[in-house]
Amino acid sequence: MPLIAIEEHWIMPDVTSALRAEPQPDESLAFHEVGDNRERLEDLGAGRIAAMDAQGIDMSVLALAPPGVQPLPPGKALALSRAANDMAAAVVARHPARFRALSTLPMSSPKDVAGELERAAGMGHAGTMVHGRSGDLFLDDPAYDDFFSAAAELGQPVFIHPQLPSTAVRDASYRGFDPMTDLALATFGWGWHLDTATAALRLVLRGTFDRHPDLQVVLGHWGEMLLFWLDRADGLSRIAGLERSVSDYIRSNFYITSSGMLNPALLQHALSVTTVDRLIFSTDYPFQRPTRKEIDSFLSHFSSDAERERFSSANAASLYGIAS
């Protein structure tokens, strides 16, 4: 059966240069420089396809690596979003059997977000990837409601990807060690995931899915810890005056990806709180690089061929409009 991976990262040198030129460059850019990550992130041709073949991946859905353009000022973010979307569309046009792409959006300029989403969708982008905050503006701010309205109307799933927590949060919770341990604690070790789960939960509490019931959101890393806390999170529904429980929104408006964390225990927990129709394969390339053997071994933990196919390709194909 085919294998589609939906969270496979790339970078554009112009975006990297702009991010590094900021007065306070995003420290998570350091992860782009680990080993041969930068070379792999910039490769949108033969090298990446060879890596996919080695893993047994038939199609990758490309997404600009974090932090995207969100730390950039509005004008620069808009220009580089457009450039990145044009470049990604050209890559897909060159390799239509192997790639699709998620759009990059100028979230620091809320008035331009819906327009760029629509432009990117018109070029064939399958969805979009954003982060939970742009400057001090949270993703659930009313300034973004036109964006979510457009995403729902256009059928563009919104992938919320982790980003470095704010300076205030880092100062309060993620410092006091050596610089690299501070960074790791604030990112892949803990902070990234808690920050993203909070962004998703705030969208629910803001009534986003009551206003836009067709909106679909994607969370990586097996739901960014949110799936493990739904019993408690459900208590928020009554306080916030929601129409449904938090867990009901998760089951009907959220898809969950593996992000290369091929642990059967995480799969079984996900299946205990949502359905296999809401789970999608991803590797988080090149930051995670599971081998074909590791992928095949993980897929063997599904109870049937039908479930395995849903996770491997059918759910992604349905969500992102990928024809077989």
Side-chain angles (χ1 to χ4, degrees), residues 242-294:
L242 297 177
E243 296 179 3
R244 297 178 280 151
S245 67
V246 170
S247 56
D248 192 40
Y249 291 100
I250 295 296
R251 285 189 287 267
S252 60
N253 293 99
F254 285 80
Y255 284 80
I256 308 298
T257 82
S258 55
S259 301
M261 301 169 64
L262 303 185
N263 183 336
L266 299 177
L267 168 64
Q268 292 308 314
H269 181 77
L271 288 171
S272 75
V273 295
T274 190
T275 67
V276 70
D277 290 340
R278 289 277 158 178
L279 304 182
I280 299 180
F281 176 76
S282 69
T283 76
D284 204 4
Y285 180 90
F287 306 109
Q288 303 291 329
R289 305 177 194 176
T291 65
R292 181 191 289 254
K293 182 177 180 181
E294 290 168 337

Side-chain angles (χ1 to χ4, degrees), residues 9-23:
H9 293 296
W10 69 286
I11 58 175
M12 190 170 73
D14 286 353
V15 172
T16 300
S17 296
L19 290 168
R20 292 196 180 282
E22 284 295 290

Side-chain angles (χ1 to χ4, degrees), residues 48 81 96 99 107 132-133 141 165 191 193 218 223 236 251 294-295 315 322:
R48 183 177 292 255
S81 291
F99 296 136
M107 303 302 286
R133 173 184 45 79
D141 191 281
H193 312 294
V218 185
L236 293 168
R251 285 189 287 267
E294 290 168 337
I295 292 170
N315 292 341
I322 300 172

Side-chain angles (χ1 to χ4, degrees), residues 67-118:
V69 301
Q70 285 195 215
L72 299 175
K76 191 173 293 184
L78 177 58
L80 286 171
S81 291
R82 294 177 66 90
N85 292 333
D86 290 347
M87 184 173 177
V91 170
V92 172
R94 286 197 297 271
H95 305 283
R98 305 308 301 269
F99 296 136
R100 292 294 185 274
L102 304 183
S103 63
T104 301
L105 298 177
M107 303 302 286
S108 60
S109 183
K111 66 182 179 61
D112 294 312
V113 174
E116 183 57 20
L117 176 73
E118 184 173 0

Side-chain angles (χ1 to χ4, degrees), residues 36 59 163-164 186 283 289 303:
D36 64 351
M59 177 173 286
Q163 69 182 138
L164 195 65
T283 76
R289 305 177 194 176
S303 62

